[in-house]
Amino acid sequence: MNKLQLVNAPADFSWSWFVGEDGSADIVFSSLTNFSLDLDAASRRGHGQMAATGGWVQQRCVYMPKITSIAIKARERNADLAASRLFVQNIGSISLKGPAGALPQCANSTEYSVANYIDIDVTGAAPEDKEHFYQLTNSWLQSRSFINRSWLRINHLGFDLDASLVSWDNLCSLDICCDVGFGTLVDLLRQLANLDSLHVDRLYAAELIPEIRDIEGIIYACDFVEPISTSVKSLEISGFAQGCVSNVLAASIKYLLLVVPLLEKAYVPEEVAFSIDSFIKQLGHTYPHLSNITFN
């Protein structure tokens, strides 16, 4: 068997279905090249419900030495999947979508090669899945070997994103569809040297970070701004989170425009767009890259 496709599979999916409840902790699919798993939230097998709802489950390492494509889609937590570790090598594409508490980690302790892409879509992460969220994303996106393209989408977090806990060295595109603080955003830019596309759905900025001390005097304060070593070429801020302070937001976005030296495209909310032209004219001589940015 080289292809395994499970469509509308029971939400209480368990690896034990392949080896039995008393089977080995390790599972080997020696000839499998394509694996696709789509879990149906409305369907239950009727036993093994611990896998879907939580509780103790056996941690398994699932070996797929010849796999070239993996696609896993879940709609609710599945502790059995979350507790598993996938060992893959020379893989072409990986697509994971679902809550953090239903997605497996990468088990490789040695290098692997990804020819095409890794696409991770975290549809949600409950507070109790905080540790697993970082283990999951770090295991797939930390620097091991060459990846052509990688995406990470975060749709909901039950906790604040902490840039100090991420190891997303190989991440190319980041889409944050939940509230994220401006200070966290700046810290992420400093961490993710290979990131070239960043989209934030709701930016939260109520206080100035230390680098921006004077709201009214932002133009003058910008003379000492140093660029961040980042590859970001496209930056999109779709909107603002509740509780933001308007002048802090304007200052924060202007700061981002200054510290991202390779920026080519910028999408900013209408609330601050009106002041961008005069800002660029005033600082264009100090920051020549500003003239290379195309705004929405």
Side-chain angles (χ1 to χ4, degrees):
M1 178 179 67
N2 58 17
K3 184 176 182 180
L4 178 58
Q5 184 175 13
L6 303 176
V7 181
N8 296 325
D12 54 350
F13 169 88
S14 172
W15 293 110
S16 65
W17 298 350
F18 295 94
V19 295
E21 295 292 345
D22 299 324
S24 168
D26 295 340
I27 302 174
V28 180
F29 295 97
S30 57
S31 60
L32 197 64
T33 59
N34 296 81
F35 177 71
S36 177
L37 175 63
D38 188 345
L39 301 183
D40 181 3
S43 173
R44 292 287 191 280
R45 182 164 170 169
H47 59 281
Q49 293 180 359
M50 292 275 283
T53 60
W56 184 88
V57 292
Q58 185 175 17
Q59 181 173 311
R60 300 182 187 276
C61 192
V62 182
Y63 290 86
M64 300 178 175
K66 295 184 179 180
I67 200 76
T68 60
S69 175
I70 292 177
I72 296 176
K73 184 177 182 180
R75 294 166 180 82
E76 59 183 53
R77 298 178 79 245
N78 182 299
D80 193 86
L81 274 174
S84 62
R85 309 290 187 268
L86 303 187
F87 184 91
V88 297
Q89 202 167 15
N90 299 318
I91 191 167
S93 63
I94 299 168
S95 176
L96 306 175
K97 182 176 182 179
L103 300 179
Q105 298 178 40
C106 179
N108 292 40
S109 57
T110 58
E111 289 190 355
Y112 67 91
S113 174
V114 177
N116 291 324
Y117 68 84
I118 291 180
D119 188 349
I120 302 175
D121 189 345
V122 179
T123 58
E128 59 267 29
D129 292 324
K130 179 177 180 179
E131 182 178 359
H132 179 68
F133 168 80
Y134 291 111
Q135 292 174 343
L136 162 73
T137 54
N138 290 346
S139 72
W140 291 107
L141 297 171
Q142 66 184 328
S143 180
R144 284 196 184 88
S145 63
F146 180 74
I147 300 174
N148 269 347
R149 192 74 197 168
S150 58
W151 293 266
L152 173 61
R153 283 178 293 279
I154 305 171
N155 286 286
H156 173 74
L157 290 180
F159 46 86
D160 292 332
L161 189 62
D162 188 343
S164 68
L165 298 179
V166 308
S167 297
W168 303 337
D169 310 295
N170 268 329
L171 183 60
C172 299
S173 180
L174 176 60
D175 190 352
I176 306 176
C177 299
C178 53
D179 294 358
V180 60
F182 176 68
T184 299
L185 197 62
V186 172
D187 289 341
L188 283 171
L189 286 171
R190 291 186 175 126
Q191 292 260 99
L192 309 178
N194 292 318
L195 191 72
D196 61 31
S197 176
L198 174 62
H199 167 250
V200 174
D201 199 35
R202 297 186 300 277
L203 179 66
Y204 178 77
E207 298 179 358
L208 291 176
I209 62 172
E211 289 86 343
I212 309 177
R213 296 177 178 83
D214 183 0
I215 304 174
E216 301 300 330
I218 178 72
I219 298 297
Y220 309 102
C222 283
D223 287 340
F224 60 81
V225 170
E226 294 185 3
I228 295 175
S229 179
T230 175
S231 301
V232 170
K233 295 180 175 63
S234 176
L235 173 66
E236 179 176 356
I237 309 293
S238 294
F240 304 138
Q242 291 185 349
C244 292
V245 180
S246 59
N247 53 355
V248 175
L249 286 167
S252 300
I253 288 180
K254 291 173 182 177
Y255 178 80
L256 289 175
L257 297 178
L258 295 182
V259 299
V260 183
L262 299 180
L263 197 59
E264 297 176 356
K265 296 180 180 179
Y267 304 84
V268 298
E270 293 182 1
E271 293 90 331
V272 298
F274 71 92
S275 64
I276 295 296
D277 286 343
S278 59
F279 174 73
I280 291 178
K281 290 177 181 178
Q282 201 158 0
L283 286 177
H285 63 286
T286 307
Y287 300 90
H289 76 274
L290 290 176
S291 61
N292 298 324
I293 303 174
T294 300
F295 291 90
N296 64 320

Coordinates of all heavy atoms in Angstrom, one line a residue, residues 96-157:
L96 N -1.3 20.8 7.4 CA -1.9 20.5 8.7 C -2.9 21.6 9.0 O -2.6 22.7 9.0 CB -0.9 20.4 9.8 CG 0.3 19.4 9.6 CD1 1.3 19.6 10.8 CD2 -0.1 18.0 9.5
K97 N -4.2 21.2 9.2 CA -5.2 22.2 9.6 C -6.1 21.7 10.7 O -6.6 20.6 10.6 CB -6.0 22.5 8.3 CG -7.1 23.6 8.6 CD -7.9 24.0 7.3 CE -8.9 25.1 7.6 NZ -9.6 25.5 6.4
G98 N -6.2 22.5 11.7 CA -7.1 22.2 12.8 C -6.6 22.8 14.1 O -5.7 23.6 14.1
P99 N -7.3 22.6 15.2 CA -6.9 23.1 16.5 C -5.5 22.5 16.8 O -5.2 21.4 16.4 CB -8.0 22.7 17.5 CG -8.9 21.8 16.7 CD -8.5 21.7 15.3
A100 N -4.8 23.3 17.6 CA -3.4 22.9 18.0 C -3.5 21.5 18.7 O -2.6 20.7 18.6 CB -2.8 23.9 18.9
G101 N -4.6 21.3 19.5 CA -4.7 20.1 20.2 C -5.1 18.9 19.4 O -5.6 17.8 19.9
A102 N -5.0 19.0 18.0 CA -5.3 17.8 17.2 C -4.3 17.6 16.1 O -4.5 16.8 15.2 CB -6.7 18.1 16.5
L103 N -3.1 18.3 16.2 CA -2.1 18.2 15.2 C -0.8 17.6 15.7 O -0.4 18.0 16.8 CB -1.8 19.6 14.6 CG -3.0 20.3 13.9 CD1 -2.6 21.7 13.4 CD2 -3.6 19.5 12.8
P104 N -0.2 16.7 14.9 CA 1.0 16.0 15.4 C 2.2 16.9 15.2 O 2.3 17.8 14.4 CB 1.0 14.8 14.5 CG 0.4 15.2 13.2 CD -0.7 16.2 13.6
Q105 N 3.3 16.5 15.9 CA 4.6 17.2 15.8 C 5.5 16.4 14.9 O 5.2 15.2 14.5 CB 5.2 17.2 17.2 CG 4.5 18.0 18.2 CD 5.2 18.0 19.6 OE1 6.4 18.1 19.6 NE2 4.4 17.9 20.6
C106 N 6.5 17.0 14.5 CA 7.6 16.4 13.7 C 8.5 15.7 14.7 O 9.0 16.4 15.6 CB 8.3 17.4 12.8 SG 9.6 16.7 11.8
A107 N 8.9 14.5 14.4 CA 9.7 13.7 15.3 C 11.2 13.7 14.9 O 12.0 13.2 15.7 CB 9.2 12.3 15.5
N108 N 11.6 14.2 13.8 CA 12.9 14.1 13.3 C 14.0 14.7 14.2 O 13.9 15.8 14.6 CB 13.0 14.7 11.9 CG 12.2 14.0 10.9 OD1 11.1 13.6 11.1 ND2 12.8 13.8 9.7
S109 N 14.9 13.9 14.5 CA 16.1 14.4 15.3 C 17.2 14.6 14.3 O 18.2 15.3 14.6 CB 16.5 13.4 16.3 OG 16.8 12.1 15.7
T110 N 17.1 14.1 13.1 CA 18.1 14.3 12.0 C 17.5 15.2 11.0 O 16.3 15.5 11.0 CB 18.5 13.0 11.4 OG1 17.4 12.3 10.9 CG2 19.2 12.1 12.4
E111 N 18.3 15.6 10.0 CA 17.8 16.6 9.0 C 16.8 15.9 8.1 O 16.9 14.7 7.8 CB 19.0 17.1 8.2 CG 19.8 18.1 9.0 CD 20.8 18.8 8.0 OE1 20.9 18.4 6.8 OE2 21.5 19.7 8.5
Y112 N 15.9 16.7 7.6 CA 15.0 16.2 6.5 C 14.9 17.2 5.5 O 15.3 18.4 5.7 CB 13.6 15.9 7.1 CG 12.8 17.1 7.5 CD1 12.0 17.8 6.7 CD2 12.9 17.6 8.8 CE1 11.3 19.0 7.1 CE2 12.3 18.7 9.2 CZ 11.4 19.4 8.4 OH 10.8 20.5 8.8
S113 N 14.5 16.9 4.3 CA 14.4 17.8 3.2 C 13.0 17.9 2.7 O 12.3 17.0 2.5 CB 15.3 17.3 2.0 OG 15.2 18.1 0.9
V114 N 12.5 19.2 2.6 CA 11.2 19.4 2.1 C 11.3 20.1 0.8 O 11.8 21.2 0.7 CB 10.4 20.3 3.1 CG1 9.0 20.6 2.6 CG2 10.2 19.6 4.4
A115 N 10.9 19.5 -0.3 CA 11.1 20.0 -1.6 C 10.1 21.1 -1.9 O 10.5 22.1 -2.6 CB 10.9 18.8 -2.6
N116 N 8.9 21.0 -1.5 CA 7.9 22.0 -1.9 C 7.4 22.9 -0.8 O 7.9 24.1 -0.7 CB 6.6 21.3 -2.5 CG 7.0 20.7 -3.9 OD1 7.7 21.2 -4.6 ND2 6.4 19.5 -4.1
Y117 N 6.6 22.4 0.1 CA 6.1 23.4 1.1 C 5.6 22.7 2.4 O 5.2 21.5 2.4 CB 5.0 24.3 0.5 CG 3.7 23.5 0.2 CD1 2.7 23.3 1.2 CD2 3.4 23.1 -1.1 CE1 1.6 22.6 0.9 CE2 2.3 22.4 -1.4 CZ 1.3 22.2 -0.4 OH 0.2 21.6 -0.7
I118 N 5.5 23.5 3.5 CA 4.8 23.1 4.7 C 3.7 24.2 4.9 O 4.0 25.4 4.9 CB 5.8 23.1 5.9 CG1 6.8 22.0 5.8 CG2 5.0 23.0 7.2 CD1 7.7 21.9 6.9
D119 N 2.5 23.8 5.1 CA 1.4 24.7 5.3 C 0.7 24.3 6.6 O 0.1 23.2 6.7 CB 0.4 24.6 4.1 CG -0.7 25.6 4.1 OD1 -0.8 26.3 5.2 OD2 -1.4 25.8 3.1
I120 N 0.8 25.1 7.6 CA 0.1 24.8 8.9 C -0.9 25.9 9.2 O -0.6 27.1 9.2 CB 1.2 24.8 10.0 CG1 2.3 23.8 9.8 CG2 0.5 24.5 11.4 CD1 3.4 23.8 10.8
D121 N -2.1 25.4 9.4 CA -3.2 26.3 9.7 C -3.8 26.0 11.1 O -4.5 25.0 11.2 CB -4.3 26.2 8.6 CG -5.4 27.2 8.7 OD1 -5.5 27.9 9.8 OD2 -6.2 27.4 7.8
V122 N -3.5 26.7 12.1 CA -3.9 26.5 13.4 C -5.3 27.2 13.6 O -5.3 28.4 13.7 CB -2.9 26.9 14.5 CG1 -3.5 26.7 15.9 CG2 -1.6 26.2 14.3
T123 N -6.4 26.5 13.6 CA -7.7 27.1 13.7 C -8.0 27.6 15.1 O -9.0 28.3 15.3 CB -8.8 26.1 13.2 OG1 -8.7 24.9 13.9 CG2 -8.5 25.8 11.7
G124 N -7.3 27.1 16.1 CA -7.5 27.5 17.4 C -6.6 26.8 18.4 O -6.0 25.8 18.0
A125 N -6.3 27.4 19.5 CA -5.5 26.8 20.6 C -6.0 27.3 21.9 O -6.0 28.4 22.3 CB -4.0 27.3 20.4
A126 N -6.6 26.3 22.6 CA -7.1 26.6 24.0 C -6.0 26.8 24.9 O -4.8 26.5 24.7 CB -7.9 25.4 24.4
P127 N -6.2 27.5 26.1 CA -5.2 27.8 27.0 C -4.4 26.5 27.5 O -3.2 26.6 27.7 CB -6.0 28.4 28.2 CG -7.2 29.0 27.6 CD -7.5 28.1 26.5
E128 N -5.1 25.4 27.6 CA -4.4 24.2 28.0 C -3.5 23.6 26.9 O -2.7 22.7 27.2 CB -5.5 23.1 28.4 CG -6.5 22.7 27.4 CD -7.7 23.5 27.4 OE1 -7.7 24.7 27.9 OE2 -8.8 23.0 27.1
D129 N -3.6 24.1 25.7 CA -2.8 23.7 24.6 C -1.6 24.6 24.3 O -1.0 24.5 23.3 CB -3.6 23.5 23.3 CG -4.7 22.4 23.4 OD1 -4.3 21.4 24.0 OD2 -5.8 22.6 22.9
K130 N -1.4 25.5 25.2 CA -0.3 26.5 25.0 C 1.0 25.9 24.7 O 1.7 26.2 23.7 CB -0.2 27.5 26.2 CG 0.9 28.5 26.0 CD 0.8 29.5 27.2 CE 1.9 30.5 27.1 NZ 1.9 31.5 28.2
E131 N 1.4 24.9 25.6 CA 2.7 24.3 25.4 C 2.8 23.5 24.2 O 3.8 23.5 23.4 CB 3.0 23.4 26.6 CG 4.4 22.7 26.6 CD 4.7 21.8 27.8 OE1 3.8 21.8 28.7 OE2 5.7 21.2 27.9
H132 N 1.7 22.8 23.8 CA 1.7 22.0 22.6 C 1.8 22.9 21.4 O 2.4 22.5 20.4 CB 0.5 21.1 22.6 CG 0.4 20.3 21.3 ND1 1.3 19.2 21.1 CD2 -0.4 20.3 20.2 CE1 1.0 18.7 19.9 NE2 -0.1 19.4 19.4
F133 N 1.1 24.0 21.4 CA 1.1 24.9 20.3 C 2.6 25.3 19.9 O 3.0 25.2 18.7 CB 0.4 26.2 20.6 CG 0.6 27.3 19.6 CD1 -0.1 27.3 18.4 CD2 1.5 28.4 19.9 CE1 0.1 28.4 17.5 CE2 1.7 29.4 19.0 CZ 1.0 29.4 17.8
Y134 N 3.4 25.6 20.9 CA 4.8 26.0 20.6 C 5.6 24.7 20.2 O 6.4 24.8 19.2 CB 5.4 26.7 21.8 CG 4.9 28.0 22.0 CD1 4.1 28.3 23.2 CD2 5.1 29.1 21.2 CE1 3.5 29.5 23.4 CE2 4.5 30.4 21.4 CZ 3.8 30.6 22.5 OH 3.2 31.8 22.7
Q135 N 5.4 23.6 20.8 CA 6.1 22.4 20.4 C 5.7 22.0 19.0 O 6.6 21.6 18.2 CB 5.7 21.2 21.4 CG 6.2 21.4 22.8 CD 5.8 20.4 23.8 OE1 4.8 19.7 23.5 NE2 6.4 20.3 24.9
L136 N 4.4 22.1 18.7 CA 3.9 21.7 17.3 C 4.6 22.6 16.3 O 5.2 22.1 15.3 CB 2.4 21.9 17.3 CG 1.8 22.0 15.9 CD1 1.8 20.6 15.2 CD2 0.3 22.5 16.0
T137 N 4.4 23.9 16.4 CA 4.9 24.8 15.4 C 6.4 24.8 15.3 O 7.0 24.8 14.2 CB 4.4 26.2 15.6 OG1 4.7 26.7 16.9 CG2 2.9 26.3 15.4
N138 N 7.1 24.8 16.4 CA 8.6 24.7 16.4 C 9.1 23.5 15.8 O 10.1 23.5 15.1 CB 9.1 24.8 17.9 CG 8.9 26.2 18.5 OD1 8.6 27.2 17.8 ND2 9.1 26.3 19.8
S139 N 8.4 22.3 16.0 CA 9.0 21.1 15.5 C 9.0 21.0 14.0 O 9.8 20.4 13.3 CB 8.1 19.9 16.0 OG 6.8 19.8 15.4
W140 N 8.0 21.7 13.3 CA 7.9 21.7 11.9 C 8.7 22.9 11.2 O 9.2 22.8 10.1 CB 6.5 21.8 11.4 CG 5.7 20.5 11.7 CD1 4.7 20.4 12.6 CD2 5.8 19.3 11.0 NE1 4.2 19.1 12.6 CE2 4.9 18.4 11.6 CE3 6.6 18.8 10.0 CZ2 4.8 17.1 11.2 CZ3 6.5 17.5 9.5 CH2 5.6 16.6 10.1
L141 N 8.8 24.0 12.0 CA 9.4 25.2 11.3 C 10.8 25.6 11.8 O 11.3 26.6 11.2 CB 8.4 26.4 11.6 CG 7.0 26.2 11.0 CD1 6.1 27.3 11.5 CD2 7.1 26.2 9.5
Q142 N 11.3 24.9 12.8 CA 12.7 25.2 13.2 C 13.7 24.8 12.1 O 13.4 24.0 11.3 CB 13.0 24.6 14.5 CG 13.1 23.1 14.5 CD 13.3 22.5 15.9 OE1 14.0 23.2 16.7 NE2 12.8 21.4 16.2
S143 N 14.8 25.4 12.1 CA 15.8 25.2 11.1 C 16.4 23.8 11.1 O 17.0 23.4 12.1 CB 16.9 26.2 11.2 OG 17.9 26.0 10.2
R144 N 16.1 23.0 10.1 CA 16.7 21.7 10.0 C 17.4 21.5 8.6 O 18.5 21.1 8.5 CB 15.7 20.5 10.1 CG 15.2 20.3 11.6 CD 14.5 18.9 11.6 NE 14.0 18.6 12.9 CZ 12.8 19.0 13.3 NH1 12.0 19.7 12.5 NH2 12.3 18.7 14.5
S145 N 16.7 21.9 7.6 CA 17.2 21.9 6.3 C 16.4 22.8 5.4 O 15.6 23.5 5.8 CB 17.2 20.4 5.7 OG 15.9 19.9 5.6
F146 N 16.6 22.7 4.1 CA 16.0 23.6 3.1 C 14.5 23.3 2.9 O 14.1 22.2 2.7 CB 16.7 23.5 1.8 CG 16.2 24.5 0.8 CD1 16.4 25.8 0.9 CD2 15.4 24.0 -0.3 CE1 15.9 26.7 -0.1 CE2 14.9 24.9 -1.2 CZ 15.1 26.2 -1.1
I147 N 13.7 24.4 3.0 CA 12.3 24.3 2.7 C 12.0 25.4 1.7 O 12.4 26.6 1.8 CB 11.5 24.6 3.9 CG1 11.7 23.6 5.0 CG2 10.0 24.6 3.6 CD1 11.0 23.8 6.3
N148 N 11.4 25.0 0.6 CA 11.1 26.0 -0.5 C 10.2 27.1 0.0 O 10.4 28.3 -0.2 CB 10.5 25.3 -1.7 CG 11.5 24.9 -2.7 OD1 12.7 25.3 -2.7 ND2 11.1 24.1 -3.6
R149 N 9.1 26.7 0.7 CA 8.1 27.6 1.1 C 7.3 27.1 2.3 O 7.0 25.9 2.4 CB 7.1 27.9 0.0 CG 6.2 29.1 0.2 CD 6.9 30.4 0.0 NE 6.1 31.5 0.5 CZ 6.6 32.7 0.7 NH1 7.9 32.9 0.4 NH2 5.9 33.7 1.2
S150 N 7.1 28.0 3.3 CA 6.3 27.5 4.5 C 5.4 28.6 4.9 O 5.7 29.8 4.8 CB 7.3 27.2 5.6 OG 8.1 28.3 5.9
W151 N 4.2 28.2 5.3 CA 3.1 29.1 5.7 C 2.7 28.7 7.1 O 2.6 27.5 7.5 CB 1.9 29.0 4.8 CG 2.1 29.6 3.4 CD1 1.8 30.8 3.0 CD2 2.5 28.8 2.3 NE1 2.1 30.9 1.6 CE2 2.5 29.7 1.2 CE3 3.0 27.5 2.1 CZ2 2.9 29.3 -0.1 CZ3 3.4 27.1 0.9 CH2 3.3 28.0 -0.2
L152 N 2.3 29.7 7.9 CA 1.7 29.5 9.2 C 0.6 30.5 9.4 O 0.8 31.7 9.3 CB 2.7 29.6 10.4 CG 2.1 29.5 11.8 CD1 1.4 28.2 12.1 CD2 3.2 29.8 12.8
R153 N -0.7 29.9 9.6 CA -1.8 30.8 9.9 C -2.3 30.5 11.3 O -2.5 29.3 11.7 CB -2.9 30.5 8.9 CG -2.7 31.2 7.5 CD -3.8 30.9 6.6 NE -3.9 29.5 6.2 CZ -3.1 28.9 5.3 NH1 -2.2 29.7 4.6 NH2 -3.2 27.6 5.0
I154 N -2.6 31.5 12.1 CA -3.0 31.4 13.5 C -4.4 32.1 13.5 O -4.4 33.3 13.4 CB -2.0 32.0 14.5 CG1 -0.6 31.3 14.3 CG2 -2.5 31.7 15.9 CD1 0.4 32.0 15.1
N155 N -5.5 31.3 13.7 CA -6.8 31.9 13.7 C -7.3 32.3 15.0 O -8.2 33.2 15.2 CB -7.8 31.0 13.0 CG -7.5 30.9 11.5 OD1 -7.9 31.9 10.8 ND2 -6.9 29.9 11.0
H156 N -6.9 31.6 16.1 CA -7.4 32.0 17.4 C -6.4 31.4 18.4 O -6.0 30.2 18.3 CB -8.8 31.4 17.6 CG -9.3 31.6 19.1 ND1 -9.6 32.9 19.5 CD2 -9.4 30.8 20.1 CE1 -10.0 32.7 20.8 NE2 -9.8 31.5 21.2
L157 N -6.1 32.2 19.4 CA -5.3 31.7 20.5 C -6.0 32.1 21.9 O -6.5 33.2 22.0 CB -3.9 32.4 20.5 CG -2.9 32.0 19.4 CD1 -1.6 32.7 19.6 CD2 -2.7 30.5 19.5

